[in-house]
Amino acid sequence: MPVPATTGPEHSPAPEQTPAPEPSSLSDTDLVRAACQGSADAWEAIVDRYLSLVNGIARSYRLSQQDREDATQTVWLTLNQNLSRLHSPQQLAAWLHRTTRSACNRQRAQRQRFPPFDPQDLDERPQHQDGPEDQYLAKETHTELFQAIRELPDPADRRVAQQYLDDSPDAAPISHRTTARERRRLIRQLRRSLR
């Protein structure tokens, strides 16, 4: 039979503690303060209170489900990272409204810049697209070449040279001066004027 201990401090009953208030009944300021101090219940109460607001704003942007989920996740992550820096915790709803709209606008802009595509369509996509620098250089070369053609002394030579450059399907037929000798002569003249 166990013997009760006779040594050690006397056991007094624990003082009655007042129950902590329910997080859902706290104001936004109190919830933010408690969440900043590490209360998981306070954070959950904030999310529960404003989840429908954030989701409703995201739905109003008519984003795809994945984009909408990305935007709302960004909102909650941003709030979590900036919770201690909120200047006016009592205006948490307004802050969430602005942040959600901003996240949805960014998500929409990103989707427009980088539209999704099916990887099976990769074979159908152009393999190389000229960048801005390539386009500028091509335009500059084209401009210089047409300037050199305009400076040819013979109007017939100008017309023939322009016809060679015109590769459109409805281009006029090449004139009678299309012998190899004439082409070489035109190329020499153009090279001299492009130097």
Side-chain angles (χ1 to χ4, degrees), residues 99-162:
T99 306
T100 305
R101 288 175 51 134
S102 177
C104 289
N105 282 327
R106 277 194 309 272
Q107 194 68 33
R108 180 184 283 166
Q110 181 179 3
R111 182 60 61 185
Q112 289 172 349
R113 273 196 317 269
F114 306 109
F117 63 91
D118 188 357
Q120 294 176 349
D121 295 340
L122 280 176
D123 294 337
E124 299 170 12
R125 292 170 68 89
Q127 295 299 321
H128 175 69
Q129 295 178 345
D130 290 340
E133 183 177 333
D134 295 330
Q135 291 173 0
Y136 175 78
L137 290 174
K139 182 179 179 183
E140 188 175 276
T141 302
H142 190 265
T143 303
E144 289 177 3
L145 188 55
F146 271 100
Q147 180 63 33
I149 289 173
R150 281 193 293 272
E151 292 173 0
L152 288 173
D154 185 7
D157 288 343
R158 287 195 297 267
R159 188 176 60 254
V160 170
Q162 285 177 347

Side-chain angles (χ1 to χ4, degrees), residues 3 58 90 99 131 182 185:
V3 180
Q90 69 276 10
T99 306
E182 288 294 324
R185 186 177 63 76

Side-chain angles (χ1 to χ4, degrees), residues 57-125:
I57 294 169
R59 272 193 306 273
S60 73
Y61 276 79
R62 302 197 186 285
L63 299 169
S64 69
Q65 181 178 353
Q66 182 181 356
D67 289 342
R68 190 171 60 240
E69 289 172 359
D70 287 348
T72 55
Q73 185 176 8
T74 300
V75 170
W76 294 117
L77 181 63
T78 305
L79 176 62
N80 190 293
Q81 291 172 341
N82 295 296
L83 200 59
S84 61
R85 291 189 288 242
L86 289 179
H87 295 293
S88 304
Q90 69 276 10
Q91 295 181 349
L92 181 60
W95 187 92
L96 283 169
H97 191 272
R98 281 191 313 274
T99 306
T100 305
R101 288 175 51 134
S102 177
C104 289
N105 282 327
R106 277 194 309 272
Q107 194 68 33
R108 180 184 283 166
Q110 181 179 3
R111 182 60 61 185
Q112 289 172 349
R113 273 196 317 269
F114 306 109
F117 63 91
D118 188 357
Q120 294 176 349
D121 295 340
L122 280 176
D123 294 337
E124 299 170 12
R125 292 170 68 89

Side-chain angles (χ1 to χ4, degrees), residues 176-192:
H176 65 281
R177 299 181 67 183
T178 57
T179 64
R181 185 171 153 260
E182 288 294 324
R183 286 195 298 267
R184 284 194 299 271
R185 186 177 63 76
L186 281 172
I187 289 172
R188 279 195 303 272
Q189 285 180 346
L190 290 173
R191 282 185 180 152
R192 278 195 300 270

